[in-house]
Amino acid sequence: MVAMNGISNTADRLTSLGRAAGQEVLDSLGEQHPELAGKLRDMLFTFEMLKALDNRSVQEVLKEVDRASLAMALKGAELEMQQLFLSGMSERASQMLAEEMEFLGAPKLQEIEAAQRAMVDLVLKLEKDGRVTLEEAAVAAG
């Protein structure tokens, strides 16, 4: 098993390669060492990176994401992240999502993290398909 600071150093190096190259390395690594690749992926591609989505990209994500999953992911997010997605919706849809988030009460951290991870995976897939754009500099800084 690789020590945590070794994983952190590797994540830093992969970040310096850029997201696309880093993803390719992780895909290859995942064939031999899926657990290690998963840990690195979690460090490299975080929910916070979604702040780099432009308005058009937010619209694309909203078309594809499951509303219950979105509510769960945003329940544990900063206000800035919530506003990013809520502002991409109609007023009525925004109100309905805010209500759904309220009805969730206090979900377990694991549930929030799983929903956030699913959103990150969706965004990475949409980016690979050319349907969304993430600012590389914003991701590297985040």
Side-chain angles (χ1 to χ4, degrees), residues 15-72:
T15 298
S16 70
L17 294 175
R19 196 171 42 260
Q23 184 67 45
E24 285 183 34
V25 170
L26 285 176
D27 289 345
S28 294
L29 180 64
E31 294 172 12
Q32 296 291 321
H33 304 283
E35 186 177 325
L36 178 58
K39 287 180 182 181
L40 285 166
R41 185 171 278 111
D42 289 347
M43 291 180 79
L44 287 173
F45 307 119
T46 66
F47 188 66
E48 291 299 308
M49 79 180 203
L50 302 188
K51 289 179 184 176
L53 290 170
D54 60 24
N55 291 336
R56 184 194 60 78
S57 295
V58 168
Q59 292 296 318
E60 283 296 319
V61 173
L62 288 171
K63 286 180 196 174
E64 299 295 327
V65 71
D66 172 71
R67 295 295 171 181
S69 182
L70 177 62
M72 181 66 72

Side-chain angles (χ1 to χ4, degrees), residues 69-135:
S69 182
L70 177 62
M72 181 66 72
L74 293 179
K75 178 72 177 183
E78 296 173 1
L79 186 58
E80 177 185 359
M81 184 72 78
Q82 292 177 2
Q83 288 303 316
L84 175 70
F85 286 94
L86 292 172
S87 67
M89 306 170 99
S90 70
E91 188 175 334
R92 180 171 166 79
S94 176
Q95 286 176 334
M96 289 173 60
L97 184 64
E99 287 175 8
E100 189 168 348
M101 289 166 54
E102 212 174 292
F103 289 132
L104 287 172
K108 294 178 183 174
L109 181 60
Q110 279 183 313
E111 294 171 328
I112 292 171
E113 289 174 345
Q116 289 178 346
R117 181 85 246 149
M119 281 196 65
V120 169
D121 292 344
L122 171 64
V123 168
L124 290 173
K125 178 189 176 304
L126 293 173
E127 182 185 40
K128 190 174 184 177
D129 294 344
R131 294 177 53 196
V132 302
T133 304
L134 281 165
E135 297 291 326

Side-chain angles (χ1 to χ4, degrees), residues 5-18 40 43-44 140:
N5 90 0
I7 293 174
S8 182
N9 289 340
T10 303
D12 289 343
R13 288 201 166 89
L14 288 174
T15 298
S16 70
L17 294 175
L40 285 166
M43 291 180 79
L44 287 173

